[in-house]
């Protein structure tokens, strides 16, 4: 894009900045290929604001500075849609999708296997309509009832994926574009994290967050929300701009500066439709935004005109809906689960219900704050949601369905497992059982953690077995595990002599471990693998970690005052020191690590692993990166140094590409590790 030259250097700078900012938006939102860092964008925007402040006569409505700054509205004006915003008919299974293709074929008197369809995922957001006159955005409105919506132009102007001015020199006098406003998962998480930090209300899901943001009367609030727009339909355009097909119109929208779905595809016949719906069903989990199905449209616009409409929906389109991930059911009871650190988690016991093919009878309520936020009571009808393989969540209470008699959910004063006092420390949201390792629930969880794969990795010591050992009081501390004898183990129900022998053999193997694993296995609050590694790299040996002061602990990379406090108080407890001595007495050992600072070429860098790796497990890859000083994180951001993408990498890879973060495959990672994992460099000669 080139800015026209004028005699006035101020005007030149303004138009150059505007062109650069528009180009950056286009590259980011339409092409998914950011061209400049965010900081550079912000710098240019600030510069433009400065100049415009000095030259108010040069401010135009389509300037990138004019996205924000409109004063709060009293209410939203009514907007009558020139062309009704219709809904789509739904198909819920393959047969209904095939029936759609058949109907279209019959009406057009053509072979249904030869019809082309333009397909895209169905975004779960809010439909809006945008009107452009002579290339300038003049109005934005919600769908409303389809005939009349609300004018929310000032809010929509704040979305950087909505062009204020269309790209190109030759532009239609009139264009009305429709599309979906939505919030990405990452944007939603960030927004809720910020709300939590401020102590304000969090949104239940990205769709509610998007809806709430568009309804803000103050556009400055909408501007601060990570909303995005994706165009999917042209409602009105001057005839000369019409194209033969819907897919060609979509390409034209991209050329004009709109984001359209990167998943869009043109397919043929009923088989093509069914295949597209299947593909989207599989792709769903990997996308960084919610979709609830696929939209299938006859591609040929003449055929669309011939097909026309039935009552409220076009005959040329169909929405295929995925099985619902949300269902309503009733909270029958709430029980409290005691975790490894004593934390009490409320769990709703539900009237069993099928959600997306799985029977659900429990859902987590997280903590008392969450119960208060939802205003959930025993007896309430609730909306539950199951997405991917996460634990089912309670989304909301159906207040209209609240029966006369409901029971408040209360935190017990005594631990439901051991009867110890339950305490809520300071303003922490979590309540804890004060029983410590006296509480069988905490003991079981601590032992499960101790035996887990990333800790001592005791093969064959599963959850049920640990429960049985604790209930019989054969095991109270981790060291007791190593005193178990095969003959006795074989007395347990469903335990053959062979399995008992195998367990003793694997206990024997796991006696020899590494110091980071051992420290991680102790289960110190907030000490994960990365922190355990960092402690070992810093202090070298266990005794020095045990004796370290709070201040010394805080000097370790990535350990802040809170975690330092947890570590310090753990080792200050006599019984924890005894547990460690006992473990060493029963023969736990590890190789001494070399003392002296290893070279940490990746210090200060954050890496992300995604997809399936072949030669390495995720844990191994992570451990080796951490050993070189990197922090390994689960989410991609601007600050990510590199993303290692294995087989079938999904949304994280997509995000990395969007943000221009370096991406490497597994082989490149292996080469890289090979080059950097040299012997300790600062090792002094003996
Ligand atoms: O993504 C959507 N929610 C979506 C809705 C996509 C489309 O292509 C649509 C739509 C609603 C109506 N197309 C029409 C005609």
């Amino acid at each position: 894009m080139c800015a026209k030259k004028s005699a006035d250097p101020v005007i030149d700078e303004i138009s150059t900045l505007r062109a650069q900012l528009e180009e950056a938006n286009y590259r980011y939102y339409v092409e998914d290929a950011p061209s400049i860092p965010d900081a550079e964008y912000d710098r240019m925007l600030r510069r433009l604001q400065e100049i415009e402040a000095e030259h108010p006569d040069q401010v135009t409505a389509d300037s990138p500075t004019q996205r924000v700054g409109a004063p709060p509205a009293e209410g939203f004006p009514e907007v009558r849609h020139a062309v009704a915003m219709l809904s789509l008919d739904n198909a819920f299974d393959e047969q209904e999708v095939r029936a759609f293709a058949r109907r279209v074929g019959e009406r057009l008197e053509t072979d249904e296997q030869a019809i082309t369809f333009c397909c895209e995922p169905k975004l779960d957001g809010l439909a809006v309509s945008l009107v452009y006159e002579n290339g300038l955005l003049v109005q934005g409105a919600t769908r409303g009832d389809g005939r009349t919506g609300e004018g929310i132009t000032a809010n929509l102007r704040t979305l950087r994926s909505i062009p204020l001015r269309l790209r190109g020199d030759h532009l239609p006098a009139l264009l009305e574009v429709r599309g979906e406003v939505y919030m990405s998962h990452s944007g939603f998480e960030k927004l809720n994290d910020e709300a939590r930090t401020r102590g304000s209300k969090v949104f239940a899901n990205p769709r509610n967050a998007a809806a709430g943001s568009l309804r803000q009367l103050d556009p400055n609030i909408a501007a601060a929300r990570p909303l995005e727009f994706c165009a999917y339909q042209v409602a009105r355009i001057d005839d000369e701009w019409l194209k033969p097909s819907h897919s060609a119109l979509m390409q034209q929208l991209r050329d004009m500066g709109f984001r359209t779905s990167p998943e869009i595809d043109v397919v043929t016949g009923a088989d093509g439709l069914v295949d597209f719906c299947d593909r989207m069903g599989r792709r769903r989990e990997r996308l960084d935004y919610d979709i609830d199905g696929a939209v299938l449209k006859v591609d040929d616009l003449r055929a669309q005109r011939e097909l026309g409409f039935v009552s409220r929906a076009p005959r040329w389109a169909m929405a295929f809906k995925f099985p619902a991930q949300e269902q309503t059911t009733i909270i029958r009871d709430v029980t409290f689960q005691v975790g490894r650190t004593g934390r009490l988690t409320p769990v709703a016991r539900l009237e069993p219900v099928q959600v997306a093919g799985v029977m659900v009878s429990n859902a987590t309520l997280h903590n008392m704050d969450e119960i208060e936020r939802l205003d959930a009571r025993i007896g309430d009808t609730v909306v539950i949601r199951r997405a991917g393989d996460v634990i089912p969540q309670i989304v909301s209470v159906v207040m209209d369905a609240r029966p006369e008699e409901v029971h408040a959910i209360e935190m017990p004063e005594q631990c439901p497992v051991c009867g110890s006092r339950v305490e809520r420390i300071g303003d922490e949201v979590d309540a804890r059982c004060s029983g410590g390792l006296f509480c069988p629930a905490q003991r079981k969880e601590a032992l499960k953690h101790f035996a887990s794969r990333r800790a001592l990795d005791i093969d064959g010591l599963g959850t049920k077995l640990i429960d049985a050992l604790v209930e019989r009081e054969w095991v109270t501390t981790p060291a007791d595990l190593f005193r178990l004898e095969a003959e006795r183990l074989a007395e347990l129900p469903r335990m053959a002599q062979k399995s008992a022998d195998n367990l003793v053999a694997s206990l024997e193997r796991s006696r020899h471990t590494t110091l980071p694993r051992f420290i991680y296995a102790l289960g110190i609050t907030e000490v994960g693998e990365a922190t355990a590694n960092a402690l070992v790299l810093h202090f070298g040996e266990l005794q020095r970690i045990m004796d370290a002061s709070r201040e010394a602990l805080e000097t370790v990379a990535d350990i802040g005052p809170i975690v330092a406090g947890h570590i310090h108080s753990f080792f200050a407890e006599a019984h924890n020191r005894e547990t460690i001595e006992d473990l060493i007495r029963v023969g736990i050992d590890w190789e001494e690590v070399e003392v002296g600072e290893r070279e940490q070429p990746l210090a200060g860098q954050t890496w992300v692993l995604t997809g399936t790796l072949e030669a390495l497990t995720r844990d191994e890859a992570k451990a080796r990166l951490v050993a070189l000083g990197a922090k390994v994180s689960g989410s991609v951001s601007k600050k990510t140094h590199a993303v290692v993408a294995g087989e079938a990498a999904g949304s994280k890879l997509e995000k990395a590409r969007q943000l221009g973060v370096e991406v490497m495959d597994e082989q490149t990672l292996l080469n890289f590790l090979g080059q950097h994992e040299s012997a300790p460099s600062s090792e002094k000669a003996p």
Side-chain angles (χ1 to χ4, degrees), residues 86-88 120-125 127 180 232-233 246 292 295 297 314 316-317:
L86 298 182
S87 47
L88 297 174
E120 61 183 326
K122 186 167 183 301
L123 296 168
D124 193 9
E180 203 84 352
Y232 57 64
Q233 189 71 18
H246 176 74
D292 57 356
V295 178
K297 292 176 180 170
W316 43 263

Side-chain angles (χ1 to χ4, degrees), residues 55-311:
H55 303 272
D57 55 315
Q58 296 299 328
V59 181
T60 56
D62 64 328
S63 171
T65 58
Q66 300 305 297
R67 291 191 181 272
V68 283
E74 294 285 342
F76 300 119
E78 266 191 10
V79 169
R80 191 151 174 91
H81 298 298
V83 178
M85 291 183 80
L86 298 182
S87 47
L88 297 174
D89 271 340
N90 293 323
F92 293 99
D93 56 29
E94 177 176 340
Q95 265 160 23
E96 292 177 1
V97 169
R98 291 190 181 278
F100 164 61
R102 195 170 329 113
R103 280 197 306 276
V104 169
E106 279 165 14
R107 283 214 161 239
L108 297 176
E109 295 177 4
T110 43
D111 177 4
E112 63 171 75
Q113 292 302 344
I115 302 167
T116 53
F117 295 92
C118 183
C119 306
E120 61 183 326
K122 186 167 183 301
L123 296 168
D124 193 9
L126 295 107
V128 300
S129 191
L130 305 170
V131 179
Y132 289 82
E133 283 172 8
N134 299 315
L136 291 186
L137 174 65
V138 295
Q139 185 183 77
T142 62
R143 177 174 183 279
D145 64 3
R147 292 265 155 212
T148 321
E150 288 178 314
I152 52 164
T153 317
N155 284 343
L156 290 173
R157 288 176 62 93
T158 66
L159 274 64
R160 276 172 57 190
S161 42
I162 293 183
L164 297 177
R165 162 202 287 279
L166 303 179
R167 281 169 74 88
D169 296 323
H170 180 48
L171 293 168
L174 177 74
L175 169 70
E176 181 170 350
V177 175
R178 290 183 177 162
E180 203 84 352
V181 170
Y182 63 99
M183 202 178 276
S184 68
H185 294 158
S186 36
F188 169 74
E189 296 298 341
K190 200 161 154 263
L191 184 66
N192 268 357
D193 281 349
E194 287 161 5
R196 258 179 232 116
T197 321
R198 277 197 316 272
S200 46
K201 267 200 177 263
V202 296
F203 289 104
N205 56 50
R207 190 178 185 285
N208 286 3
S213 306
L214 282 187
R215 245 187 277 110
Q216 293 293 327
L217 287 169
D218 183 353
N220 289 298
I221 300 180
R225 304 283 172 80
L227 296 171
E228 298 188 38
F229 175 77
C230 179
Y232 57 64
Q233 189 71 18
V234 172
R236 291 186 291 161
I237 194 162
D238 304 326
D239 281 347
E240 66 166 300
W241 296 84
L242 265 182
K243 297 277 170 188
S245 67
H246 176 74
S247 50
L249 269 181
M250 291 292 103
Q251 179 56 50
Q252 180 164 268
L253 285 183
R254 273 191 293 280
D255 295 341
M256 289 177 173
F258 292 96
R259 177 184 173 83
T260 61
S261 174
E263 310 291 330
I264 236 173
D265 202 2
V266 175
V267 305
T268 316
D271 291 343
L273 291 178
V274 169
D275 176 60
F276 184 83
C277 294
D278 283 350
R279 262 191 286 146
M280 281 307 123
R282 286 193 301 272
R283 202 134 161 68
R284 183 181 199 183
E285 306 277 295
R286 300 171 177 271
L287 297 174
D288 189 32
Y289 44 85
D290 283 344
I291 62 173
D292 57 356
V295 178
L296 319 169
K297 292 176 180 170
V298 172
D299 197 32
D300 187 89
L301 292 186
R302 276 199 15 223
Q304 282 195 5
R305 238 166 287 135
E306 205 176 319
L307 288 159
F309 296 80
V310 251
S311 62

Side-chain angles (χ1 to χ4, degrees), residues 13 50 69 76 82 172 193 214 251 302 304 379 402 463 498 510 538 591 594 597 603 638 670 684:
E13 187 175 4
E50 262 168 40
F76 300 119
D193 281 349
L214 282 187
Q251 179 56 50
R302 276 199 15 223
Q304 282 195 5
R402 176 167 281 178
T463 304
K498 179 123 199 317
S510 56
H538 189 96
E591 267 178 45
E594 296 104 339
E597 293 276 300
K638 285 184 301 195
L670 287 169
K684 296 169 193 66

Side-chain angles (χ1 to χ4, degrees), residues 6 42 91 105 130 146 155 175 185 197 208 253-254 263 369 376 393 420 455 482 501 584 640 672:
S6 79
D42 295 341
L130 305 170
N155 284 343
L175 169 70
H185 294 158
T197 321
N208 286 3
L253 285 183
R254 273 191 293 280
E263 310 291 330
D369 282 7
Q393 313 278 318
S420 301
F482 297 93
D501 290 341
I584 293 169
T640 308
F672 181 89

